[in-house]
Amino acid sequence: MIREQIEEKLRTAFTPVHLEVHDESYRHNVPAGAESHFKIVIVSDSFLNQRFLMRHRAIYGVLADELAGSVHALALHTYTEKEWAGLQDTVPASPNCRGAGTLA
């Protein structure tokens, strides 16, 4: 499954203290069983002194094969341990799908 591949690659690359990979494909206008939209919450001190853009680019690099394949969208929430503690372990909820696109 793609979710497990994503988790494994992120654990290897960033050694996170917290990692959540949620398949949110069911919230979008895609065929049943599609693994195309993911929300990732990752907490790692690998992100120290990096702006969000650099963190996201690093993740895109690690997941290049998945993004070239069936993964259409990633909602990335990247934090250092200190940032995560300041959020009290919460992340923004994903917005509702606006219905863009059609079923294939």
Side-chain angles (χ1 to χ4, degrees):
M1 296 200 32
I2 294 172
R3 185 182 60 76
E4 286 84 5
Q5 292 172 356
I6 290 172
E7 284 182 6
E8 182 179 330
K9 286 185 172 188
L10 294 176
R11 285 189 194 286
T12 300
F14 300 103
T15 317
V17 296
H18 181 84
L19 176 63
E20 298 174 34
V21 178
H22 300 280
D23 182 353
E24 294 189 333
S25 303
Y26 70 93
R27 298 179 60 153
H28 299 274
N29 191 17
V30 297
E35 288 185 285
S36 58
H37 294 70
F38 291 89
K39 177 179 181 176
I40 296 171
V41 179
I42 184 169
V43 180
S44 172
D45 278 343
S46 297
F47 300 135
L48 282 170
N49 302 314
Q50 288 186 356
R51 294 180 185 208
F52 287 110
L53 179 61
M54 294 307 296
R55 297 173 188 190
H56 291 199
R57 283 182 178 164
I59 290 171
Y60 296 149
V62 169
L63 300 179
D65 290 341
E66 289 76 12
L67 289 165
S70 64
V71 175
H72 172 72
L74 296 176
L76 300 177
H77 302 277
T78 59
Y79 307 102
T80 64
E81 288 186 60
K82 183 177 178 181
E83 291 166 343
W84 182 243
L87 291 171
Q88 300 178 356
D89 299 342
T90 61
V91 295
S94 296
N96 290 328
C97 178
R98 294 190 178 188
T102 59
L103 290 173

